[in-house]
Amino acid sequence: MTMDIGGSFRHELTGSFSQGSDSNPTVAMVEASYKANNLHYRYVNCEVNPDQLEAAVKGARAMNWKGFNCSIPHKVEVIKYLDGLGESAALIGAVNCAVNRDGKLIGENTDGKGFLKSFLEITPATGKTIVLLGAGGAARAIAVELALAGATKFYVVNRSRARGEELTALLNDKTSATAEFVEWNKSYSIPADAEVVINSTSMGMVNTEGKQDIDFDSIRPGMLAADVIVNPPQTYFLDEAGKRGATTLQGLGMVVNQAVIGIKYWTGVDVDAKDLNDELLRVLGLA
């Protein structure tokens, strides 16, 4: 196949600004998708320290980048260097995807949108009562998108009271959902009215027994149990929930879908998630 470069020897540029960028597989997924779709774009994974973030954003402007992802630790700090925010990014208070729209850099948050797309393939969000384990950046993005999609009630379960109460207040004050904070200081039992339980903590990454302070027997058949962990995709949390008859949702879909959404923002093209998913599994050694 010959790539159609439209008579141009210049690629449109996209990429990622983060610290600890060596371990970020997004570049492999996105570049595979660009190639599969004959898009004359490149994705550059950049190591950017916090004191370099403003200069990096100015550099992206100067080089007419189509946009970039922001990962840890830049998702909040980057906002001051952008020209505006999308609705959910403004609510979440964090940006993981900047988009060049007519010369202005607009901040979006595709983390929650990526999760929501996977979620909606299994069940509607409307009217759902949801247990959210954790209250960090991923939890915040997921909760806002689910609330905007019609989820009605949240239990925010977190060890840090300050962060948990902050997310609870955000949901109560800025969305039509109601939320209740639960301090996670003992083994947590899923309430009888909950239909969905989402692990948004990093505890699944160790994938060992005894690390997750949950009464797994409180998970009932017919519930949906979701995890944001990518590697391993089948976590101890999902294994235990599945044994109790819950439908399980891995974190791989969230990562792939948020990249698909980012590519659409940057290129205007709807790409096939399969190209990204296949490459992600390959580079993680899971294919």
Side-chain angles (χ1 to χ4, degrees):
M1 182 187 295
T2 303
M3 180 175 285
D4 176 16
I5 63 171
S8 173
F9 291 100
R10 178 185 63 83
H11 287 87
E12 301 291 1
L13 294 178
T14 59
S16 175
F17 298 159
S18 67
Q19 200 172 33
S21 58
D22 290 12
S23 60
N24 184 356
T26 301
V27 57
M29 287 195 299
V30 175
E31 288 252 304
S33 181
Y34 287 165
K35 186 175 180 181
N37 290 278
N38 254 19
L39 291 165
H40 199 51
Y41 279 67
R42 295 304 303 267
Y43 188 99
V44 187
N45 203 7
C46 302
E47 181 74 12
V48 177
N49 296 328
D51 61 352
Q52 300 168 321
L53 181 60
E54 182 179 10
V57 175
K58 284 181 175 176
R61 285 184 190 275
M63 291 185 283
N64 296 300
W65 280 37
K66 287 294 187 181
F68 53 86
N69 288 128
C70 261
S71 194
I72 294 169
H74 304 315
K75 290 185 180 185
V76 175
E77 191 68 16
V78 74
I79 292 172
K80 66 175 73 167
Y81 308 125
L82 303 177
D83 301 308
L85 297 176
E87 179 191 15
S88 57
L91 276 177
I92 295 161
V95 164
N96 78 325
C97 183
V99 189
N100 185 332
R101 295 190 177 126
D102 301 320
K104 294 190 183 305
L105 285 176
I106 305 301
E108 298 281 1
N109 194 305
T110 61
D111 281 336
K113 287 180 169 65
F115 178 88
L116 183 65
K117 190 169 187 301
S118 287
F119 185 95
L120 295 178
E121 286 166 5
I122 295 174
T123 185
T126 309
K128 288 289 190 294
T129 295
I130 294 169
V131 169
L132 199 57
L133 302 172
R140 203 174 167 101
I142 287 166
V144 165
E145 295 295 352
L146 284 168
L148 292 176
T152 50
K153 184 177 180 181
F154 290 86
Y155 293 99
V156 178
V157 185
N158 199 54
R159 299 192 192 283
S160 156
R161 174 172 284 276
R163 187 175 264 191
E165 288 183 339
E166 184 185 347
L167 176 51
T168 303
L170 167 67
L171 292 167
N172 283 326
D173 298 346
K174 299 291 179 66
T175 77
S176 56
T178 60
E180 177 185 321
F181 171 65
V182 182
E183 190 168 5
W184 201 355
N185 53 13
K186 60 181 187 297
S187 183
Y188 180 68
S189 185
I190 310 299
D193 63 336
E195 300 152 278
V196 178
V197 56
I198 302 167
N199 173 39
S200 71
T201 74
S202 60
M203 60 189 177
M205 293 176 88
V206 291
N207 210 27
T208 53
E209 296 183 40
K211 295 289 186 183
Q212 293 164 301
D213 214 2
I214 305 161
D215 174 10
F216 281 105
D217 288 334
S218 63
I219 295 177
R220 300 174 303 283
M223 289 183 73
L224 173 60
D227 207 323
V228 303
I229 301 297
V230 174
N231 194 14
Q234 188 62 25
T235 60
Y236 177 73
F237 170 78
L238 293 180
D239 274 342
E240 292 300 306
K243 288 175 187 173
R244 273 85 176 169
T247 301
T248 59
L249 178 61
Q250 295 181 346
L252 283 171
M254 174 180 171
V255 172
V256 170
N257 289 336
Q258 64 92 9
V260 169
I261 294 163
I263 292 169
K264 171 74 176 206
Y265 281 151
W266 298 327
T267 70
V269 176
D270 288 302
V271 299
D272 189 343
K274 186 177 186 304
D275 295 319
L276 292 99
N277 190 69
D278 289 351
E279 184 66 8
L280 181 60
L281 292 175
R282 190 188 72 76
V283 298
L284 293 177
L286 300 169

